[in-house]
Amino acid sequence: MRLASAGWIDGAVINAGDGTHEHPTQALLDAYTMRRHLRGGQGDLSGLRVAIVGDILHSRVARSNAWLLHTLGAEVTLVAPPTLIPVGAEAWPVKVNYDLDDVLPHVDAVMMLRVQAERMKADFFPSTREYSRRYGLDAARARLLPEKSIILHPGPMVRGMEIGDDIADSDRAVILEQVSNGVSVRMAVLYLLVGGAREGSGVVA
C-alpha cells in the first residue's frame, strides 16, 4: 500500500488530512469499521453500497472514502445539493444523486457529513432548516434504510441538522466505534511507516 512519499526528505510522511483535499487515515478507519459490521464481519467490501451525504464540496473525508471504497470494490453514491457537489466529481469513481430518499433504501452504509460553514464564502443552500429537511437523517428517514445497514459520521456532528440525536445514539450508528477504530488504524499506519515496514512489503515510506 502506497501511503505516503516525499521526494525531498528521507523519512515517512503521513497525510493527517489536508484542507478539503484528502484524509487517508479516516478512510482507512471507515473501511475497517464497515468490514467489521457488514457481510458477517468477513471483510469483503466488494459490491457494498455506500452513500456519502452532505457537504461533499468541502470534505476531504468524502474524497478519500470515494477512492478507497471504490478500490475495495464498493459502489459509492454521493448525495448532496448540486451546489455542494465539486466540479469534476463526474470523473470520480462514484454515482451522484440529489435525492436522499431515493438512495437510502438501497444502501448498506450511509455516511453523514457535517456542513463546514467555516469554509463557505457564499450561501450554498437557502437555510439550515431547508438543508435538514432535504438532507438530514432523522428517524423517519432512517426507517427507509435496509434492516442491517449502518450509519457512520466522521465527526464532529451537528446534531439536529445533518443527523438527529436519536439516530446518532441509535444501535445502528457506529460513530463511537469509528473513533475507537481510528486509534488502532492510525497506530498501525505509524508502525508500518516508522518501524514495521519490511523490504518488499509493498509499503513505501
Side-chain angles (χ1 to χ4, degrees):
M1 183 186 302
R2 194 178 191 88
L3 294 179
S5 179
W8 54 87
I9 66 170
D10 182 17
V13 176
I14 301 171
N15 183 347
D18 59 314
T20 60
H21 180 226
E22 289 196 14
H23 197 350
T25 59
Q26 180 70 43
L28 287 171
L29 74 90
D30 291 337
Y32 178 65
T33 303
M34 292 181 210
R35 290 179 68 170
R36 286 175 55 87
H37 280 272
L38 300 170
R39 304 282 170 77
Q42 298 302 308
D44 181 13
L45 299 188
S46 179
L48 192 78
R49 298 162 302 174
V50 182
I52 304 177
V53 183
D55 187 1
I56 309 296
L57 179 64
H58 301 100
S59 177
R60 56 189 179 231
V61 173
R63 287 166 171 78
S64 285
N65 266 290
W67 288 102
L68 177 61
L69 292 173
H70 170 74
T71 299
L72 296 176
E75 300 173 7
V76 180
T77 301
L78 306 180
V79 185
T83 52
L84 290 177
I85 295 292
V87 174
E90 65 276 2
W92 300 7
V94 299
K95 299 177 182 178
V96 176
N97 196 313
Y98 306 115
D99 186 343
L100 181 56
D101 293 337
D102 181 56
V103 172
L104 289 179
H106 310 291
V107 298
D108 301 293
V110 56
M111 181 182 300
M112 306 304 296
L113 301 174
R114 178 178 68 90
V115 172
Q116 298 186 41
E118 71 278 5
R119 296 186 187 273
M120 296 182 180
K121 307 300 183 185
D123 294 327
F124 288 84
F125 44 83
S127 67
T128 56
R129 178 177 294 182
E130 174 69 7
Y131 178 89
S132 184
R133 187 180 71 82
R134 293 287 307 279
Y135 296 100
L137 188 62
D138 57 15
R141 193 161 266 145
R143 286 194 286 272
L144 297 174
L145 289 165
E147 181 181 355
K148 295 184 179 181
S149 61
I150 61 173
I151 298 164
L152 303 98
H153 196 304
M157 294 181 286
V158 181
R159 291 171 177 259
M161 184 176 174
E162 80 268 7
I163 190 167
D165 278 330
D166 50 349
I167 302 306
D169 299 327
S170 69
D171 292 339
R172 307 180 74 173
V174 295
I175 299 165
L176 291 180
E177 185 174 337
Q178 285 176 270
V179 176
S180 298
N181 289 341
V183 176
S184 302
V185 167
R186 286 163 177 142
M187 286 175 64
V189 170
L190 287 168
Y191 171 77
L192 287 171
L193 291 184
V194 175
R198 296 289 182 270
E199 193 71 31
S201 66
V203 176
V204 178

